[in-house]
Amino acid sequence: MTTRKQALTVIEQHGGEVDWDVTSITTTDKHICVDAPEGTTWNASQAESFVVSWYTGPSAEFWGEVIQLANQGVT
């Protein structure tokens, strides 16, 4: 079961940072925006950030997707 703590650890390992100004995690709605380190882009989005938004579904799957995208690394 993938957890929020695991996802945040993976994001930090790649030098990323959660943009808490636009991120909202509740029991029903989950929206996260992850910024890449300055001067790089995420391979998953080819942009300076990636966003995952879910309205339903298990939290473990949401955090699993965040980890999958972060693990693609930065360029």
Side-chain angles (χ1 to χ4, degrees), residues 12-39:
E12 289 173 4
Q13 288 173 343
H14 291 285
E17 185 175 317
V18 175
D19 185 342
W20 292 108
D21 291 333
V22 295
T23 294
S24 172
I25 308 294
T26 68
T27 55
T28 56
D29 297 333
K30 299 164 192 69
H31 311 279
I32 190 168
C33 177
V34 182
D35 296 330
E38 181 133 359

Side-chain angles (χ1 to χ4, degrees), residues 39-60:
T40 66
T41 59
W42 287 105
N43 291 327
S45 64
Q46 299 301 307
E48 294 175 356
S49 62
F50 70 81
V51 175
V52 179
S53 292
W54 284 33
Y55 295 97
T56 60
S59 290

